[in-house]
Amino acid sequence: KSLLQLAGTWNEDNNANSIKCLSLQQYLETLQMVHKMGKQAQLNNHIMPQSIIFSDLHISPSDLTVITEIIKPEAAGLLFDVFGRKRSYDDYPHSHSTNHKIPLHVSPEQEQILEYLTKEEYQMLGPYLTKP
């Protein structure tokens, strides 16, 4: 199911042509609704909490070779190394379908939602991350 379907906000008037992209606020609020409904395990694996993925695979962070944050410039290269792939770039390409020239502003409310959504992951992975 799609994020909107899991949240219960999808209806027949919504279709691929009418909803191109949610705003950050809409996306976070919708994802938070799914979490509060306890449907995180039904999310697409790109946005499913890592704590659920780890549980499903019966692994713990200590089983991993590399744990890093995607924002770190060396993250892409580390992942290429772990998978034995030739590095085609050292940092992730920065592209998105939205207008990337508009600076992203995360409001205090959005930051609070992000903290809610990632709390379990940071509890699980935090001890393995390097401190700033």
Side-chain angles (χ1 to χ4, degrees), residues 31-40 43 47 49 116-117:
L31 190 55
Q32 184 178 36
M33 286 172 35
V34 170
H35 278 247
K36 286 184 175 184
M37 296 165 77
K39 296 182 177 181
Q40 304 94 309
L43 289 165
I47 57 175
Y116 170 83
L117 295 171

Side-chain angles (χ1 to χ4, degrees), residues 21-128:
C21 192
L22 297 174
S23 70
L24 178 60
Q25 185 69 32
Q26 291 169 320
Y27 173 77
L28 291 175
E29 288 173 354
T30 305
L31 190 55
Q32 184 178 36
M33 286 172 35
V34 170
H35 278 247
K36 286 184 175 184
M37 296 165 77
K39 296 182 177 181
Q40 304 94 309
Q42 296 177 48
L43 289 165
N44 174 296
N45 64 2
H46 289 94
I47 57 175
M48 181 186 294
Q50 294 176 62
S51 54
I52 293 173
I53 295 170
F54 277 50
S55 176
D56 288 350
L57 296 174
H58 306 288
I59 60 173
S60 73
S62 61
D63 295 325
L64 303 178
T65 306
V66 173
I67 296 176
T68 189
E69 295 171 289
I70 197 77
I71 196 163
K72 303 245 175 152
E74 68 274 12
L78 289 170
L79 289 173
F80 276 115
D81 293 346
V82 167
F83 289 107
R85 307 263 323 262
K86 181 181 175 192
R87 289 185 184 204
S88 54
Y89 47 83
D90 287 323
D91 194 3
Y92 290 102
H94 299 277
S95 62
H96 194 272
S97 62
T98 57
N99 186 347
H100 67 278
K101 293 178 182 165
I102 299 172
L104 176 65
H105 172 74
V106 177
S107 71
E109 179 188 0
Q110 292 167 338
E111 189 171 329
Q112 195 172 26
I113 295 172
L114 284 166
E115 287 176 11
Y116 170 83
L117 295 171
T118 59
K119 182 180 178 182
E120 288 181 23
E121 292 167 292
Y122 276 103
Q123 286 175 342
M124 180 181 68
L125 297 171
Y128 300 90

